[in-house]
Amino acid sequence: MTTVDTGPAASFDALLRNLVTDPAAIEEVAGAARAHSPEVSRLPPAEVRRQVTTLLRCGLTALQDRIEPGERDFAEARRLGADRATQGMSVSGLLRGVQAGRDRAVELVIRHGRSAGIPDEVLLDGLITIGRYATALERAVIDGHRDAERDLARAGHEPRTRLVRRLLLGGPVTPAAEELTRFGLRADGSYHCLVAGSVDPVRADGLAGRLARHGAVVGMVEDRLAGLTPRLPPADRLDPTALLVAAPAGPLDRAPRMYGLCLAALRVAAGQGRRGLYDVTELAGETALAAQPALAELLGDTLLAALDPVDGFHRELVSTALTWLDHGQRLDRAGAALHVHPNTVRYRLRRLRELTGFPASAVGEGAGGWPVVEILRWWWALRSWRDRR
């Protein structure tokens, strides 16, 4: 008859298994990794949670198998390190995230272990063992990262990425014509700057390949896929779940300014949950306004001071006014978008006017000579008030 171990060691193993499958614990460890590593924080939160789960499961499996750390093949950890190298993340940035996550995981083990009544001496023995495996795990992550960096360098990825970074970030030395020619660029050429939103390593590789087939020279810049291309690919040839922002074509010396604009527009588009390929000029207004958050807050608080953010009717008035403005100041179009009668839209606009002084022409079918600057001022105030709440 097999004897089931129900002692303290078994309780400690059960504690570890529970933590690895606990979403709240995973989120706490992932949050620590993001908080202590700016490079990790720029990854999608779901990707960081996947990374944490992978490492914790890898370590737990090694502990359960009772295999010495030096004899264990931490293949998953090596693969994770390689993925981050492919994304352009530095080994130091990766390690800061891994170590911060490890420290938070140890805190969770102690906290939950004591709550479960596991003796301190058992927790101490377990944590010493965990420390040995965690060290081996970190070495595997570093080895995977460095191996991938060497492979990328041999394949020419690293020189290409260095060139892209110099062109987009404004390196101190202008690339020579021979270096540009090596990667298909010309000093007198005209190129679109292109920046992609955060994607996982596999999708980033696929996206880079599609862009390269249209003449793009891309690399990982500040943990984002970015580069220059002589022509933009058709939107239907790209990953439909990806977000990309491009600038109109221009000379290479304009690339750093275009990169900054694309990055600012990308943040706005990502915050709105957009997907697809956008020209930076399509997002110009929202990008410019997003650069002045303090003014936006002041404007919303001043023009809409009479509105209560916890009042559902007031929120409905703001939503209606924004919809009306976004649909050409047309009652019929706003009503169709809101699934209400145009008279309902008119009534809500009139109530908003009574509360805030919203321009009187809003109750008509059109703007009625309402100045463009005034439309912008109210649209920005309404948008700021809504988004902050």
Side-chain angles (χ1 to χ4, degrees), residues 7-13 118-129:
S11 299
F12 186 79
D13 287 352
I118 299 176
D120 283 350
E121 59 269 20
V122 175
L123 285 175
L124 179 59
D125 288 343
L127 291 173
I128 291 174
T129 304

Side-chain angles (χ1 to χ4, degrees), residues 136-334:
L137 204 62
E138 288 176 15
R139 282 200 299 267
V141 170
I142 294 172
D143 289 344
H145 189 284
R146 288 177 174 165
D147 288 346
E149 280 188 324
R150 285 192 290 270
D151 291 343
L152 290 170
R154 283 195 295 269
H157 289 282
E158 188 58 30
R160 181 186 297 110
T161 297
R162 284 200 300 266
L163 174 62
V164 170
R165 289 173 181 169
R166 286 167 62 195
L167 291 170
L168 298 187
L169 299 179
V173 180
T174 302
E178 294 79 8
E179 186 178 2
L180 295 173
T181 302
R182 177 184 173 190
F183 296 102
L185 300 174
R186 301 194 328 271
D188 60 348
S190 182
Y191 300 96
H192 299 271
C193 177
L194 186 82
V195 183
S198 298
V199 293
D200 62 67
V202 175
R203 287 171 55 211
D205 286 345
L207 182 57
R210 292 188 184 95
L211 294 171
R213 285 194 286 274
H214 288 82
V217 180
V218 297
M220 298 305 296
V221 181
E222 298 180 315
D223 299 327
R224 295 188 184 279
L225 189 67
L228 297 161
T229 181
R231 58 189 180 281
L232 294 173
D236 59 2
R237 299 289 181 88
L238 299 172
D239 181 347
T241 65
L243 170 63
L244 299 97
V245 175
L252 285 178
D253 61 5
R254 199 177 70 170
R257 284 178 292 156
M258 294 302 100
Y259 172 71
L261 289 176
C262 285
L263 202 57
L266 184 77
R267 285 192 287 266
V268 170
Q272 296 174 353
R274 300 199 189 197
R275 294 291 181 269
L277 175 61
Y278 291 88
D279 190 296
V280 69
T281 58
E282 295 179 70
L283 304 164
E286 291 153 300
T287 303
L289 296 181
Q292 298 290 340
L295 184 56
E297 182 177 351
L298 184 63
L299 192 60
D301 289 343
T302 300
L303 294 184
L304 306 176
L307 299 185
D308 183 352
V310 301
D311 189 315
F313 180 61
H314 288 183
R315 294 197 300 271
E316 189 175 69
L317 296 182
V318 169
S319 177
T320 299
L322 276 171
T323 303
W324 177 76
L325 289 171
D326 287 339
H327 287 77
Q329 300 86 56
R330 289 283 299 273
L331 296 176
D332 53 349
R333 292 177 183 174

